Amino acid sequence: MKKHLFLISLLINCTSVFAIPNVSKIDTYTIKADQDYLAATPAKNQNGTINAIIEIPTGSNEKWEVSKVDGSVINWEFKNGQPRIVHYLGYPSNYGTIPHTSLPKSLGGDGDPLDVLVLGSAMVQGSIVQVRLIGGLKMLDDGEQDDKLLAVPISEQSPFKKITSIKELQQYFPGVLAIIETWFSNYKGSDAKVVIQGSLSKQEALNVLDKAIKYYKLD
């Protein structure tokens, strides 16, 4: 496994977007890769970037996530026997997860891998993208902590490629953070209890990431 993880790390460090070579669509609700997204991919790269597994591309209304049972699978989530559809505007950013992380409720997480929002245009579902962590969004969902880390692509095509912090995001792209906060405050409908508590600085987000990597190794 360590050798496999090292090879994956080398591949990711050579490109801004590393798509798993063999991804197949099993059915309408399932895509499957030839390796475990969560275990076979490092959280961090040697160049200081982190890896984000893209579960939901920007603009999509479908709620997908990497399976907690089989890490090589990304499933369209079901609720009350139906695939989950967001009855609001599509996601304002790419939504994904960071491999090799886990944060329990006792440390401010929800027991799952860390969520990450990757700003910019839609990316390929199931791809693993090198991104720069710039901060995070603190929020409560139905009374439970449900923070989201914020990141930007480092690819030449991204208008956000030089952004390094929340402060710079607000300076050079005013309104983006407010759009994301508004979306998460409303996408579940008027009966939902989502409370935006503010933002995390880059250093605070890095501290959360380091705790989650450490806990994953101990888990």
Side-chain angles (χ1 to χ4, degrees):
M1 174 60 76
K2 288 184 177 180
K3 182 179 179 181
H4 187 58
L5 187 61
F6 176 70
L7 290 174
I8 295 295
S9 180
L10 285 178
L11 285 169
I12 292 174
N13 274 289
C14 292
T15 178
S16 61
V17 177
F18 172 67
I20 300 296
N22 296 309
V23 177
S24 55
K25 190 166 186 176
I26 305 301
D27 54 41
T28 304
Y29 312 107
T30 312
I31 61 174
K32 183 175 176 62
D34 63 348
Q35 62 193 37
D36 191 315
Y37 278 110
L38 301 177
T41 309
K44 290 183 175 180
N45 300 306
Q46 294 177 351
N47 61 4
T49 61
I50 63 172
N51 293 314
I53 302 162
I54 303 301
E55 299 166 309
I56 307 170
T58 299
S60 174
N61 288 76
E62 301 173 358
K63 185 70 171 73
W64 291 68
E65 71 170 359
V66 176
S67 170
K68 298 179 180 65
V69 178
D70 181 351
S72 68
V73 168
I74 300 180
N75 288 320
W76 191 349
E77 290 184 38
F78 272 64
K79 186 174 183 180
N80 300 322
Q82 298 293 324
R84 285 188 64 183
I85 297 287
V86 173
H87 297 287
Y88 195 56
L89 296 174
Y91 275 78
S93 70
N94 297 280
Y95 190 100
T97 193
I98 301 176
H100 264 243
T101 62
S102 179
L103 200 62
K105 291 182 179 181
S106 60
L107 294 177
D110 58 5
D112 294 333
L114 295 178
D115 296 325
V116 60
L117 307 176
V118 181
L119 302 181
S121 56
M123 296 176 172
V124 177
Q125 187 179 49
S127 61
I128 302 173
V129 186
Q130 272 195 71
V131 298
R132 179 187 302 115
L133 191 61
I134 64 168
L137 186 66
K138 288 183 64 66
M139 56 185 285
L140 289 175
D141 189 346
D142 201 21
E144 294 190 353
Q145 205 68 40
D146 192 25
D147 299 345
K148 314 294 181 187
L149 298 187
L150 287 173
V152 296
I154 61 170
S155 63
E156 285 299 318
Q157 296 79 10
S158 172
F160 301 103
K161 64 185 178 183
K162 293 184 179 180
I163 298 300
T164 63
S165 67
I166 293 290
K167 183 178 179 180
E168 288 184 358
L169 178 67
Q170 293 176 307
Q171 179 181 354
Y172 296 108
F173 296 94
V176 169
L177 188 61
I179 289 170
I180 293 172
E181 291 177 346
T182 298
W183 192 89
F184 276 100
S185 296
N186 294 279
Y187 82 109
K188 288 188 174 181
S190 58
D191 294 332
K193 299 177 181 178
V194 178
V195 180
I196 305 299
Q197 299 176 301
S199 59
L200 295 169
S201 69
K202 180 176 182 176
Q203 189 55 57
E204 289 172 326
L206 287 170
N207 291 342
V208 171
L209 177 61
D210 288 339
K211 284 195 297 183
I213 292 173
K214 183 178 180 180
Y215 187 81
Y216 177 87
K217 292 178 179 178
L218 296 174
D219 193 12

